[in-house]
């Protein structure tokens, strides 16, 4: 297990703002993790929780700057949790150990699932979590992390809204990554590095909204040593719309018409909160099935 820098954080010492050294996991998988926690003004009632996962090579502090002031949203006041990635541990390499997040191999001891569980359990000890309204979001590599949590913890997740993400349990997404040369003349599929389980046969069927840009413009290219690949998130959104539908979920596809952009204007953030408010645990099919609200006029319900 990793030795933390400073005293380990206990549930009793969760603070408004930046929290350091929450020890998560067990045995050799124990890892010190940091996160931002923002609370609305009224904490007398049980509250929704929104987890937001930041993109590759972006600080959690940058996301906190954008989202922290929204926890008193009129539609749905909520607890905001912004986990901080461990890019020092989960790195692009051959084979990769992660993309800042632990999202290459999903199994027992997965660092992101352990952190999600630990934060939720601590918040529950304070009797402040509405367990019908635990929502997940993220952008780019953070959206992939959000997808991984939704897959591994579907029993806890009410709904998901991602900006440019991908499920790598979906074979179409693994195939879309192409190949990489690991030595002279030796090419292997990049998707073979990813080990994600399938959805359990019996699992909570949540609604997910996929935000993405135009084909060929919402792309993320990585050139780091031997690693060289491009993800087209328009393609993965189309793939995952089919994938979730096949697995009994509601899927909503929203092309914002831009490039690789999370879209964080106030109206975008308000729409995200509205989507979560309208989709508590067990909301499937989505109430948007027959008519999309005005806030989502660029979206289509997957049928």
């Amino acid at each position: 297990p990793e030795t933390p820098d400073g005293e380990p954080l206990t549930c009793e010492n969760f603070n408004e703002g930046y929290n350091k050294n929450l020890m998560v996991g067990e045995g050799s998988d124990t890892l010190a993790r940091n996160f931002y926690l923002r609370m609305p003004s009224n904490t007398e009632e049980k509250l929704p929780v929104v987890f937001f996962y930041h993109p590759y090579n972006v600080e959690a502090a940058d996301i906190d700057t954008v989202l922290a002031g929204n926890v008193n949203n009129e539609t749905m006041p909520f607890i905001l949790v912004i986990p901080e990635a461990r890019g020092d541990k989960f790195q692009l390499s051959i084979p990769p150990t992660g993309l800042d997040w632990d999202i290459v191999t999903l199994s027992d001891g997965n660092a992101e699932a352990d952190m999600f569980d630990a934060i939720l359990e601590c918040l529950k000890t304070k009797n402040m979590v509405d367990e019908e309204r635990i929502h997940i979001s993220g952008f780019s590599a953070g959206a992939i992390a959000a997808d991984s949590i939704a897959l591994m913890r579907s029993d806890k997740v009410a709904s998901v809204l991602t900006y440019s993400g991908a499920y790598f349990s979906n074979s179409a997404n693994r195939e879309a990554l192409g190949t990489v040369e690991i030595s002279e003349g030796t090419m292997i599929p990049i998707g073979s590095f990813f080990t994600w389980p399938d959805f359990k046969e019996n699992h909570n069927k949540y609604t997910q909204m996929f935000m993405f840009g135009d084909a060929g413009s919402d792309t993320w290219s990585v050139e780091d040593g031997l690693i060289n690949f491009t993800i087209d998130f328009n393609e993965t959104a189309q793939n995952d719309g089919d994938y979730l539908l096949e697995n009994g979920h509601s899927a909503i596809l929203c092309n914002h018409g831009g490039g690789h952009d999370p879209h964080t204007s106030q109206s975008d953030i308000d729409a995200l909160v509205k989507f979560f408010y309208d989709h508590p645990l067990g909301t499937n099919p989505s109430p948007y099935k027959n008519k999309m609200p005005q806030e989502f006029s660029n979206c289509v319900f997957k049928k």
Side-chain angles (χ1 to χ4, degrees):
E2 182 181 64
T3 302
D5 178 16
E7 290 297 316
L9 179 71
T10 64
C11 296
E12 293 77 14
N13 293 326
F14 271 33
N15 300 308
E16 170 79 15
Y18 192 52
N19 290 263
K20 296 181 64 176
N21 292 327
L22 179 66
M23 302 303 293
V24 305
E26 297 179 352
S28 61
D29 292 324
T30 304
L31 192 65
R33 300 301 298 267
N34 306 334
F35 62 96
Y36 283 87
L37 177 67
R38 297 296 178 185
M39 304 292 300
S41 300
N42 182 4
T43 58
E44 295 178 0
E45 299 179 356
K46 291 189 177 182
L47 293 160
V49 183
V50 175
F51 284 77
F52 193 99
Y53 293 83
H54 65 80
Y56 181 75
N57 272 349
V58 172
E59 300 295 327
D62 297 327
I63 304 300
D64 180 64
T65 298
V66 174
L67 295 182
N70 288 275
V71 294
N72 289 303
N73 188 278
E74 291 183 1
T75 298
M76 186 187 79
F78 61 93
I79 299 168
L80 173 65
V81 179
I82 306 171
E84 187 169 69
R86 284 293 305 265
D88 60 317
K89 184 173 179 65
F90 303 112
Q91 300 175 343
L92 283 168
S93 56
I94 297 289
T97 57
L99 303 174
D100 276 2
W101 303 100
D102 186 11
I103 53 175
V104 172
T105 301
L106 306 189
S107 62
D108 290 343
N110 176 268
E112 310 317 332
D114 287 344
M115 187 182 191
F116 175 81
D117 292 343
I119 291 173
L120 267 186
E121 288 307 309
C122 278
L123 291 175
K124 288 178 186 177
T125 65
K126 300 177 181 292
N127 199 35
M128 58 176 54
V129 174
D130 180 350
E131 295 188 49
E132 299 297 306
R133 292 184 177 276
I134 298 168
H135 309 280
I136 309 291
S137 190
F139 171 53
S140 195
I144 299 172
D147 290 334
S148 75
I149 294 295
L151 177 65
M152 291 185 288
R153 297 295 184 265
S154 68
D155 58 320
K156 298 179 181 178
V157 172
S159 51
V160 184
L161 190 155
T162 49
Y163 300 84
S164 305
Y167 283 83
F168 286 119
S169 48
N170 185 351
S171 60
N173 288 340
R174 296 195 303 272
E175 292 169 6
L177 292 176
T179 59
V180 63
E181 185 174 20
I182 60 171
S183 61
E184 187 173 353
T186 302
M187 307 293 291
I188 64 170
I190 295 172
S192 66
F193 292 131
F194 289 85
T195 305
W196 286 35
D198 295 325
F199 278 110
K200 294 179 181 178
E201 184 175 351
N202 296 312
H203 65 278
N204 171 50
K205 309 296 197 295
Y206 51 81
T207 295
Q208 181 159 351
M209 181 171 284
F210 297 90
M211 295 281 187
F212 56 93
D214 286 329
S217 64
D218 186 1
T219 60
W220 182 45
S221 296
V222 176
E223 295 185 16
D224 188 353
L226 292 175
I227 296 288
N228 186 347
F229 67 93
T230 296
I231 302 176
D232 186 329
F233 289 110
N234 181 293
E235 180 179 11
T236 60
Q238 306 299 331
N239 291 342
D240 285 337
D242 292 332
Y243 176 66
L244 284 198
L245 189 63
E246 290 167 2
N247 281 281
H249 301 252
S250 292
I252 300 169
L253 303 181
C254 307
N255 186 342
H256 55 64
H260 196 50
D261 184 348
H263 280 231
T264 54
S265 70
Q266 190 58 53
S267 61
D268 293 318
I269 295 170
D270 287 342
L272 178 150
V273 175
K274 174 178 172 53
F275 168 76
F276 286 150
Y277 177 77
D278 289 338
H279 293 84
L281 191 70
T283 306
N284 188 62
S286 167
Y288 299 173
K289 181 175 182 178
N290 295 319
K291 184 178 180 181
M292 298 299 302
Q294 183 178 357
E295 292 90 342
F296 304 111
S297 58
N298 65 323
C299 303
V300 295
F301 191 91
K302 184 72 178 179
K303 297 180 181 179

